[in-house]
Amino acid sequence: MNNITKLKTELDKINSTATLEQPLAKYTTWRIGGPAEIFFQANTIDELSRAVEKANEFQIPYTILGWGSNVLISDKGIRGLVIKNASKEIEIKGKSETNLPTANEIEARLNAIDTEQYYNFDDLDFDESHFPTIELTVASGVYLPYLINVTIDQGITGLQWFAGIPGTVGGAVYNNIHGGTRFFSEVVQSVYVLTEKGEFKTLQKSELDFDYDYSIFHKNKDVILSVNLILREGDKERARNTSIAWATRKKLQPANSAGCCFQNIEKPVQSDLKLESNSWGYIIDKVLGLKGKQIGNAKISDKHAAFIETQPGASSNDVLGLFELIYEESKNKLGITPKTEIFFLGFEQSEVQKFINSSSQ
Ligand SMILES: Cc1cc2nc3c(=O)[nH]c(=O)nc-3n(C[C@H](O)[C@H](O)[C@H](O)COP(=O)(O)OP(=O)(O)OC[C@H]3O[C@@H](n4cnc5c(N)ncnc54)[C@H](O)[C@@H]3O)c2cc1C
């Protein structure tokens, strides 16, 4: 028996979801990507940690997949174990004395970066800091839109800014998602992880290096198991109305995408190049004239040019082709290249390295 077969035997003892050569396209919002050498769906925090421990025992590399809304998976697929994180536990722990500091430095950086000009958030933003705080522990696999509804139903607010973002709580921490001008790190108190060394550990927010589209998890292979959130016993109806309004505005964005693919350029670069905006949506549309351009079954969205949308039959090679086109046109016309804000899974470093680095940040 090879190690993959041994691992499957062990995973079968946890639950019956382990399969070999499982196509991964249906686990991503782009609906593309080849197979996982071995696939497992973890339905609880315990199943998630046990699967990772078994992979380590048999020295099989592992990859965690949340909702798959921020990843490009290679057409060749992913070697080793892919764990679809569907852990679901939500525990409302009760009142808390903790008052989390807001992410002032990150906010400053976000404001220096022109956010979506397409979506106005100002009228939806409001201060909740005077409301009492309440602590929750949430499994990393919980689907964020579901958590937003469940908490608001119970009079718990603070997540309404993230309405319309299709992802898990683990994915939200991993990339410190932002809704309007709010960052997910503003509601995170601590994170419970299984480290790459196999230790279970609670990491406080101050240890997580949160930044714009960044957390410490970009630098290690720790698995986020659960997250302690500090929310508010706030104005339920206002929070609900905000979440509905924000999700409705975000519906303009194509769902068969991975969100915005490129990080905005820094202001000094914008000013040197005398560009009206520093968003790649603007650059790709107005400067490079590539909006609507199609390769295979992938297309630079007509709705928002920093989004790439796919049609049935698309491959990750089609998306890479569009990245290449944008990269080359931008290098030739502007002398800068974009930095992607999605995660590449299953690729050789050499295939994608140039899209990860950037000359404009
Ligand atoms: C239509 C649309 C709109 C979007 N709007 C926004 C927006 O407004 N703001 C924003 O910030 N983003 C947005 N996104 C991007 C995306 O939805 C978020 O980044 C989301 O939080 C990703 O979560 P996920 O569970 O899908 O992560 P995945 O895409 O599954 O994974 C992303 C990365 O996180 C890692 N990861 C996931 N879970 C764990 C875990 N438990 N432990 C360790 N590593 C983990 C994965 O290995 C991978 O490297 C949008 C995407 C779409 C398709």
Side-chain angles (χ1 to χ4, degrees):
M1 256 207 286
N2 68 20
N3 277 5
I4 289 285
T5 318
K6 284 182 195 156
L7 176 59
K8 177 156 184 329
T9 306
E10 289 302 314
L11 293 175
D12 285 342
K13 293 178 192 163
I14 302 176
N15 72 32
S16 57
T17 60
T19 41
L20 300 180
E21 298 303 327
Q22 169 71 48
L24 291 170
K26 71 172 179 184
Y27 298 104
T28 72
T29 47
W30 253 328
R31 295 280 182 264
I32 49 181
E37 188 173 15
I38 174 163
F39 173 88
F40 177 78
Q41 177 167 313
N43 296 316
T44 64
I45 299 170
D46 180 57
E47 288 183 1
L48 175 59
S49 61
R50 282 164 67 197
V52 173
E53 287 181 315
K54 285 294 163 197
N56 284 338
E57 190 180 319
F58 293 107
Q59 295 180 323
I60 306 280
Y62 59 83
T63 302
I64 310 295
L65 204 54
W67 201 255
S69 61
N70 216 16
V71 290
L72 182 65
I73 296 179
S74 160
D75 294 327
K76 295 192 294 283
I78 302 176
R79 296 293 84 194
L81 173 65
V82 173
I83 304 173
K84 157 79 183 160
N85 182 13
S87 55
K88 293 182 182 61
E89 297 95 322
I90 300 175
E91 186 191 352
I92 299 171
K93 302 190 92 161
K95 286 196 189 308
S96 161
E97 294 307 312
T98 311
N99 231 330
L100 293 174
T102 53
N104 286 335
E105 282 175 20
I106 308 178
E107 272 163 29
R109 188 161 137 64
L110 181 75
N111 290 334
I113 294 174
D114 248 349
T115 46
E116 298 303 345
Q117 298 167 330
Y118 299 75
Y119 312 99
N120 184 14
F121 181 72
D122 295 351
D123 58 324
L124 298 177
D125 205 359
F126 57 92
D127 179 27
E128 291 200 299
S129 59
H130 53 288
F131 288 114
T133 50
I134 183 160
E135 183 180 343
L136 283 81
T137 301
V138 180
S140 57
V142 171
Y143 186 49
L144 187 58
Y146 171 76
L147 181 65
I148 295 171
N149 286 336
V150 167
T151 48
I152 292 178
D153 280 349
Q154 306 211 27
I156 300 172
T157 67
L159 293 175
Q160 59 274 15
W161 331 111
F162 309 106
I165 303 179
T168 61
V169 168
V173 169
Y174 186 91
N175 209 31
N176 191 18
I177 58 164
H178 51 90
T181 51
R182 300 301 185 117
F183 286 89
F184 202 72
S185 53
E186 290 175 39
V187 294
V188 174
Q189 181 183 40
S190 61
V191 173
Y192 186 54
V193 300
L194 176 53
T195 70
E196 54 192 332
K197 291 187 185 140
E199 296 160 349
F200 289 90
K201 236 181 179 175
T202 298
L203 299 174
Q204 297 304 318
K205 173 186 182 152
S206 57
E207 299 175 272
L208 301 178
D209 282 3
F210 279 128
D211 200 344
Y212 179 72
D213 277 346
Y214 185 79
S215 76
I216 196 162
F217 301 106
H218 288 209
K219 279 199 303 209
N220 61 38
K221 286 287 287 175
D222 290 1
V223 177
I224 304 161
L225 297 175
S226 67
V227 183
N228 252 37
L229 299 173
I230 301 292
L231 299 175
R232 303 273 166 186
E233 291 177 304
D235 182 338
K236 175 176 170 172
E237 286 319 312
R238 194 168 185 193
R240 194 188 304 283
N241 291 337
T242 300
S243 76
I244 294 169
W246 188 227
T248 306
R249 278 176 216 182
K250 280 181 62 67
K251 273 214 174 95
L252 291 171
Q253 300 173 336
N256 46 337
S257 74
C260 179
C261 284
F262 308 104
Q263 283 188 4
N264 292 338
I265 61 174
E266 297 286 353
K267 287 278 183 185
V269 181
Q270 177 196 355
S271 132
D272 282 354
L273 292 169
K274 301 188 175 48
L275 297 172
E276 270 175 43
S277 160
N278 69 346
S279 99
W280 276 97
Y282 162 84
I283 296 172
I284 294 167
D285 178 7
K286 304 289 182 209
V287 182
L288 307 179
L290 293 175
K291 195 175 191 172
K293 185 84 191 164
Q294 190 158 345
I295 291 184
N297 288 306
K299 183 178 171 186
I300 298 175
S301 176
D302 289 321
K303 296 176 191 156
H304 184 323
F307 281 59
I308 289 178
E309 43 179 283
T310 51
Q311 298 304 325
S315 66
S316 58
N317 237 12
D318 295 342
V319 173
L320 277 190
L322 288 173
F323 284 171
E324 181 75 36
L325 178 69
I326 294 165
Y327 180 96
E328 286 302 327
E329 289 286 302
S330 171
K331 194 165 85 174
N332 293 339
K333 285 198 176 140
L334 295 171
I336 58 167
T337 57
K339 177 176 162 62
T340 48
E341 60 176 47
I342 54 147
F343 301 96
F344 294 93
L345 303 180
F347 291 90
E348 299 294 330
Q349 195 70 2
S350 58
E351 291 177 276
V352 294
Q353 188 60 48
K354 68 178 182 183
F355 305 125
I356 299 169
N357 296 332
S358 158
S359 64
S360 57
Q361 298 285 307

